[in-house]
Amino acid sequence: MREAELIDPSWQEAIDLLITGKSVFISVPDYYGGQRFMDTIRQSDELNNSFTVVNLHYFNDSIKIDFQKIIDNFQQGESDRIQLPENNKFDFAETIRKLVLKKPFLVLITSTYHSFNNVSTLVDSFHDIIKYFPNDRRKYLSILLMDDYSMYFHENKRTYSYASSAWNFFARFHIAPLCDSRLVDKYLIDFFHHGELVKRISSALFRISGGHQGLISDALKYIFNKWELIDFNNVEQEVESIISKTHSYQAIGKEYSSLSSPDLQSLYSFRHKRLFEVNETDLVKRFFTKGVLANSGDLHVVVIKGVVRKLLENMIDGNMTAPKKLALCIHGLDGSDLTWRRFKEIYDNDEELKAEYDFAMYTFPTTKYWNLNFFKASDPPIQQLAKGLETEIEYKYFKYSAIVLVCHSLGGLVGRKFLLDRFLININQPQVQYAPIIRKIVMYATPHNGANLANLVKHITIRNKQIIQLARKSDFLDSLNENWMKTGAHDYYKGWYVVGGKDQIVDKDSAGLFWGNNRCKTIISADHFSIIKPENEEAVSYLIFRKTLLE
């Protein structure tokens, strides 16, 4: 059995043109297979043997182009690098001319969601070079511009813009929103070599997805990679389950949820809309390119069938229960799910809170003791614990509309590291959209500036990375605190820093993060452990937890 191929034939046609030295523009929503296509390009022996591949991405018109940074991408691995006299497109173009005379380049421009002007400036500069050095027997420069649907809407703007001649040198492709069943059948038969099984899988895929390119592409990727986990005696149920968990399905649901009630009603009206009634509004264009709307014969435009229409109908009819939120609790050093036993017992009797929130715990390997067994793996550091939290949220808790992190001791550092990483991605990759929403965190007795006890024992616990990171002035804490404040994450997230007045392990200055922190709350009678063991629903520690969730 071999790996799954890309679904739309335009992908392969684009690759064939790039190999010959042509430049290609592809307009595609982010969940129609674009990431797999880019991986194919980067791993292509034929392209890598013909070109030096340069990756340019995450452009934003609110930020001035750093031409020197782009030039540095062209010179990776070079010891004698060229420095631009001035940061302008004229010196940039002249330098690129010098570089392409030495060796050919393939430039991949991706993730341009927030940029038209900056990308146009680059394309204009590259076009001038390609005019002087056309690819023929000797290749010089080729461009692949990968765009999502928002750039597709700028076609009219490009046509009349100063850069129109530059844009026109691209071979253009728009990835179709709906699949060709013959292609899907071909990929399935090449993989399974079983005609009857292929017929059942293909039929289920198209019935349930409505032919949606993104849903089928995601589902096929899962089927080809995880086929041994699938019960092929129940193909219909298995395919429906697979599709409901795909990134594309979640993305469509998010598109729907962003609409106002009138827009939802308008979109729903396309169940029976005649072609002459269609207005070329942004709503219509948006959902055509998302694969939700499609032409039906020559006379009608419809919302495609299957889960795409069912999801919309449920939202319109009010049959879809509003997704609940989640209180996700994270224990500390040497903790476990028992850390939150008292919180869980009181929560179980709090009907108002239960109606809005579910309760779950993130657990991880941790111990406070020194392990003399050097053949046993040490407990993972906090950075790795944050990555584990990210993975659990992505795969276990993705259906929740929002999550509140509730943390004790070291768990607060895990939560903050996770939130900081997510915040930095939002800054640098604004096109990345996360679900569920996470904007609140409650931290009980967290050693933000370290714990004195950790400083005492770190010298004899050389294999306990967690204790080393908890020491005052550790590299990890210095970096986390500096970036938490400098990037604006502290202001972005609504967090409560809860201090125990009798805590002998984490002092108030460490648990409060910094002097004058107006989000710091003190439970005067609590120590490091009783702070997360409320006696009843009137205990201050539980009231802070409850109010944070419900407000």
Side-chain angles (χ1 to χ4, degrees):
M1 296 184 179
R2 60 183 176 77
E3 293 183 359
E5 296 181 37
L6 295 158
I7 302 302
D8 195 295
S10 296
W11 295 121
Q12 187 58 52
E13 191 174 346
I15 293 173
D16 294 340
L17 287 173
L18 288 171
I19 290 171
T20 66
K22 301 291 186 183
S23 291
V24 172
F25 166 71
I26 297 182
S27 176
V28 54
D30 59 356
Y31 52 91
Y32 279 13
Q35 184 59 55
R36 290 167 61 204
F37 172 70
M38 295 307 297
D39 291 342
T40 302
I41 293 290
R42 295 185 179 106
Q43 296 165 12
S44 167
D45 290 336
E46 194 163 2
L47 283 171
N48 280 286
N49 290 334
S50 300
F51 296 96
T52 296
V53 178
V54 175
N55 294 284
L56 304 179
H57 44 71
Y58 307 129
F59 290 97
N60 193 317
D61 281 345
S62 65
I63 302 172
K64 185 178 179 181
I65 297 180
D66 187 342
F67 288 107
Q68 182 62 56
K69 185 176 180 180
I70 296 173
I71 289 293
D72 289 342
N73 283 335
F74 278 80
Q75 301 180 98
Q76 288 187 9
E78 300 286 341
S79 56
D80 186 19
R81 293 192 172 190
I82 299 173
Q83 296 295 314
L84 295 179
E86 300 287 342
N87 186 50
N88 60 55
K89 67 177 184 179
F90 305 106
D91 290 333
F92 168 75
E94 183 58 34
T95 303
I96 295 294
R97 287 192 186 96
K98 295 176 183 177
L99 292 173
V100 300
L101 288 173
K102 296 179 181 179
K103 57 183 178 181
F105 290 92
L106 170 60
V107 182
L108 309 181
I109 304 176
T110 59
S111 301
T112 58
Y113 184 87
H114 287 267
S115 177
F116 174 77
N117 295 325
N118 283 347
V119 172
S120 293
T121 299
L122 279 180
V123 167
D124 204 25
S125 299
F126 289 140
H127 176 243
D128 287 342
I129 296 164
I130 291 173
K131 283 194 300 183
Y132 284 104
F133 302 108
N135 294 317
D136 193 7
R137 293 182 180 179
R138 197 272 204 207
K139 295 182 176 69
Y140 293 93
L141 179 65
S142 290
I143 312 296
L144 169 64
L145 174 59
M146 180 91 104
D147 252 332
D148 64 19
Y149 76 95
S150 66
M151 289 292 284
Y152 186 66
F153 292 160
H154 281 112
E155 285 300 323
N156 290 334
K157 182 177 179 182
R158 288 174 179 160
T159 303
Y160 301 107
S161 73
Y162 72 94
S164 60
S165 61
W167 287 106
N168 288 334
F169 82 92
F170 285 109
R172 301 185 181 204
F173 296 93
H174 176 57
I175 301 302
L178 301 183
C179 280
D180 185 329
S181 61
R182 293 168 298 180
L183 286 171
V184 174
D185 289 348
K186 175 182 179 299
Y187 297 139
L188 286 168
I189 200 68
D190 286 349
F191 189 87
F192 287 109
H193 306 289
H194 191 296
E196 180 59 31
L197 177 61
V198 166
K199 183 177 179 181
R200 288 192 289 126
I201 295 174
S202 179
S203 174
L205 277 173
F206 277 88
R207 184 187 65 78
I208 295 168
S209 72
H212 188 278
Q213 175 94 237
L215 294 173
I216 290 181
S217 179
D218 285 355
L220 283 181
K221 181 180 178 182
Y222 181 93
I223 290 169
F224 287 134
N225 290 331
K226 303 286 183 67
W227 61 271
E228 69 276 10
L229 302 178
I230 298 172
D231 179 8
F232 290 107
N233 292 318
N234 296 292
V235 169
E236 288 280 327
Q237 295 92 323
E238 289 285 289
V239 169
E240 187 165 8
S241 174
I242 290 167
I243 286 178
S244 68
K245 296 175 183 176
T246 62
H247 167 65
S248 298
Y249 182 82
Q250 303 300 321
I252 292 170
K254 189 171 183 179
E255 291 287 335
Y256 288 161
S257 65
S258 69
L259 296 178
S260 63
S261 293
D263 280 344
L264 279 172
Q265 294 287 349
S266 176
L267 187 61
Y268 191 55
S269 71
F270 281 88
R271 290 176 303 162
H272 309 291
K273 207 83 165 181
R274 292 189 178 184
L275 199 57
F276 68 83
E277 298 177 283
V278 175
N279 295 317
E280 285 296 298
T281 62
D282 284 348
L283 180 71
V284 173
K285 291 178 181 179
R286 172 182 175 185
F287 284 96
F288 255 119
T289 56
K290 289 294 183 184
V292 171
L293 296 175
N295 289 326
S296 176
D298 297 327
L299 298 176
H300 290 81
V301 175
V302 297
V303 177
I304 68 171
K305 296 180 180 179
V307 294
V308 175
R309 182 182 294 183
K310 183 178 179 181
L311 190 59
L312 178 60
E313 288 174 346
N314 286 339
M315 295 193 77
I316 291 295
D317 296 338
N319 293 329
M320 180 178 287
T321 303
K324 292 182 74 173
K325 302 172 186 177
L326 176 70
L328 183 56
C329 300
I330 309 171
H331 61 73
L333 185 73
D334 201 36
S336 68
D337 54 355
L338 295 177
T339 299
W340 302 103
R341 182 176 60 187
R342 283 298 299 150
F343 269 86
K344 181 65 166 62
E345 289 172 352
I346 300 173
Y347 159 86
D348 285 340
N349 293 309
D350 191 332
E351 296 302 327
E352 182 183 2
L353 198 58
K354 283 173 62 179
E356 191 169 343
Y357 280 87
D358 285 341
F359 190 102
M361 288 164 277
Y362 171 57
T363 60
F364 50 84
T366 178
T367 177
K368 63 185 176 184
Y369 299 109
W370 177 33
N371 194 330
L372 288 172
N373 184 354
F374 282 84
F375 295 98
K376 183 179 179 181
S378 61
D379 292 335
I382 295 172
Q383 298 93 322
Q384 197 170 340
L385 299 180
K387 287 295 183 184
L389 175 61
E390 176 187 349
T391 302
E392 287 213 4
I393 289 173
E394 180 179 357
Y395 289 98
K396 289 180 66 175
Y397 306 124
F398 63 90
K399 290 187 178 180
Y400 289 99
S401 62
I403 293 176
V404 177
L405 301 181
V406 184
C407 315
H408 177 237
S409 193
L410 175 141
L413 301 177
V414 175
R416 272 212 300 145
K417 175 58 178 168
F418 161 75
L419 292 177
L420 177 62
D421 290 345
R422 183 182 258 222
F423 183 70
L424 291 174
I425 290 175
N426 281 336
I427 292 175
N428 297 315
Q429 303 176 32
Q431 80 288 349
V432 175
Q433 299 294 323
Y434 282 113
I437 297 168
I438 306 177
R439 292 290 296 274
K440 296 179 183 179
I441 180 170
V442 186
M443 295 162 284
Y444 294 91
T446 293
H448 301 288
N449 295 311
N452 291 328
L453 184 60
N455 283 71
L456 293 175
V457 299
K458 70 176 182 179
H459 301 292
I460 61 170
T461 58
I462 56 175
R463 297 188 70 249
N464 194 319
K465 298 175 183 176
Q466 295 171 7
I467 287 182
I468 292 171
Q469 290 181 317
L470 286 175
R472 286 189 177 275
K473 299 187 180 301
S474 71
D475 291 342
F476 169 77
L477 288 178
D478 285 348
S479 174
L480 176 64
N481 291 337
E482 179 183 1
N483 288 313
W484 183 256
M485 301 305 297
K486 185 169 65 176
T487 62
H490 172 74
D491 296 322
Y492 179 78
Y493 294 108
K494 186 171 184 179
W496 298 112
Y497 303 77
V498 187
V499 178
K502 299 171 66 176
D503 194 335
Q504 299 298 305
I505 296 176
V506 178
D507 63 40
K508 67 179 188 308
D509 293 330
S510 183
L513 184 59
F514 61 89
W515 186 84
N517 186 353
N518 60 7
R519 299 185 194 169
C520 184
K521 305 296 178 184
T522 299
I523 303 177
I524 198 66
S525 61
D527 62 27
H528 191 71
F529 301 103
S530 66
I531 199 168
I532 38 87
K533 290 180 170 54
E535 293 183 2
N536 52 50
E537 68 276 6
E538 295 299 323
V540 176
S541 58
Y542 185 78
L543 292 175
I544 292 173
F545 163 81
R546 191 177 193 276
K547 182 178 179 182
T548 302
L549 267 58
L550 293 177
E551 66 183 3

